[in-house]
Amino acid sequence: MLGNKENNKQILRYVLPSVSAMIVSFTYNMVDGMFVGQGVGPSALASVNLAMPFTQIMTGIASMLAIGGATAMAIYKGKEDTKRANQVFFDKYTVSDYCWTIHNRGRFLCLNSDRPFVWGNKIAAGTDGYLY
């Protein structure tokens, strides 16, 4: 890989927990799908599968902000530019706050409507007990 065994150990030390967390997350999603499919029914499973891309997009945005912000802060801290590192942290926090505010306002509006995210009567009819 990098030719230095110490670097390889250091990389694995940081990569393995991240990969493990992703495996646990995807396993949880599969098991949740099994329980919803068996316990509530196929219509509820369809609604979970329709909502999953939105969940993955939000997870991707959160990861992008966290990893990118931490990397930029580490670069500036390495250059001993604490003022710029603090500015990067503040910018990352502000963007993250805006993203979650928009997300939560959208979710609030959808949950207060009569039928949030209706893709058809069959799916909506099977999800009343699951969503509320």
Side-chain angles (χ1 to χ4, degrees):
M1 290 195 327
L2 296 175
N4 185 344
K5 289 187 180 186
E6 288 298 318
N7 285 344
N8 292 343
K9 288 181 184 178
Q10 192 77 358
I11 289 171
L12 285 177
R13 186 174 142 212
Y14 291 110
V15 167
L16 291 178
S18 298
V19 171
S20 300
M22 292 172 87
I23 290 171
V24 168
S25 176
F26 290 124
T27 303
Y28 167 79
N29 289 334
M30 286 189 337
V31 171
D32 181 51
M34 289 179 206
F35 277 100
V36 169
Q38 293 295 317
V40 183
S43 295
L45 182 60
S47 69
V48 170
N49 287 332
L50 288 171
M52 188 57 64
F54 300 111
T55 303
Q56 296 299 323
I57 289 170
M58 296 306 291
T59 302
I61 291 171
S63 296
M64 177 183 67
L65 291 172
I67 294 168
T71 302
M73 286 183 348
I75 289 170
Y76 288 116
K77 289 287 270 186
K79 293 179 181 178
E80 297 181 5
D81 188 358
T82 306
K83 184 177 179 182
R84 183 67 179 133
N86 289 338
Q87 185 63 41
V88 167
F89 174 78
F90 178 75
D91 292 346
K92 180 200 72 77
Y93 182 80
T94 303
V95 169
S96 177
D97 193 35
Y98 286 143
C99 288
W100 295 120
T101 300
I102 291 168
H103 171 263
N104 287 333
R105 286 185 184 183
R107 188 175 68 168
F108 177 77
L109 291 174
C110 291
L111 290 178
N112 288 330
S113 68
D114 291 337
R115 285 274 187 206
F117 300 116
V118 177
W119 283 286
N121 291 334
K122 184 175 180 183
I123 293 174
T127 59
D128 283 342
Y130 185 72
L131 290 176
Y132 300 107

